[in-house]
Amino acid sequence: ENPKNRKASVFVFNGLFLLLILLILALAAGIITKIRRKRLAVFTATFTGSDTDMAVENAAAYAVKIITEAGVAVDKARLKECADKVETLLGEAGRTAYLEMAAVNEKARFSPHSMTAEDRQKVLTFKDMALSKYISDRSRPKKIYDKWIRCIY
């Protein structure tokens, strides 16, 4: 057999093998992203579910995750003490909404009383405020990365 033909066939084989590996990796990444997006959708659906206590707790946890991703170091055990840090990110209105969210979350987690629709709305208002600020501060490539790779929102 001709050595040139052998080199060419090895090159083609290696190229096809590499293409197959890349296709498998792309397929795996797509499946993982789909699973993450589904989990996020199920989690965020609890914000409007019938269990108001769970909705408040989950929405508050998500809001804290968002402001943590935005660079505000929040001590999850002492939410109320972090209001000044949140104010640097969201301003005075954000600070007020954050304190309301922290109080409602504390009530939802540690009180036997049921949450009201108004309580849920306070938490969702802060969550929406934090999420919109987070998204607006990100560059386009980081938005794509956060949405489709990390599945934050």
Side-chain angles (χ1 to χ4, degrees), residues 43 46-47 54-64 101 123-124 127:
F43 179 67
T46 64
F47 300 168
M54 183 64 71
V56 167
E57 288 180 41
N58 286 346
Y62 183 69
V64 168
M101 181 274 307
V123 174
L124 291 177
K127 184 231 9 137

Side-chain angles (χ1 to χ4, degrees), residues 47-115:
F47 300 168
T48 56
S50 60
D51 185 358
T52 312
D53 293 348
M54 183 64 71
V56 167
E57 288 180 41
N58 286 346
Y62 183 69
V64 168
K65 177 182 177 179
I66 293 298
I67 61 174
T68 303
E69 290 291 331
V72 177
V74 176
D75 184 1
K76 293 174 184 158
R78 298 183 183 107
L79 287 180
K80 289 182 181 178
E81 296 173 13
C82 301
D84 293 333
K85 296 176 186 177
V86 173
E87 185 175 7
T88 61
L89 178 69
L90 299 173
E92 184 60 36
R95 182 182 197 278
T96 304
Y98 174 78
L99 286 172
E100 288 177 353
M101 181 274 307
V104 170
N105 182 47
E106 188 176 292
K107 183 178 161 187
R109 293 181 67 205
F110 302 115
S111 172
H113 303 295
S114 293
M115 298 291 99

Side-chain angles (χ1 to χ4, degrees), residues 33-49 58 62 151-153:
T33 299
K34 187 171 183 167
I35 290 169
R36 285 181 168 182
R37 301 281 316 151
K38 179 70 174 172
R39 283 183 186 165
L40 180 64
V42 168
F43 179 67
T44 56
T46 64
F47 300 168
T48 56
N58 286 346
Y62 183 69
C151 300
I152 292 175
Y153 60 89

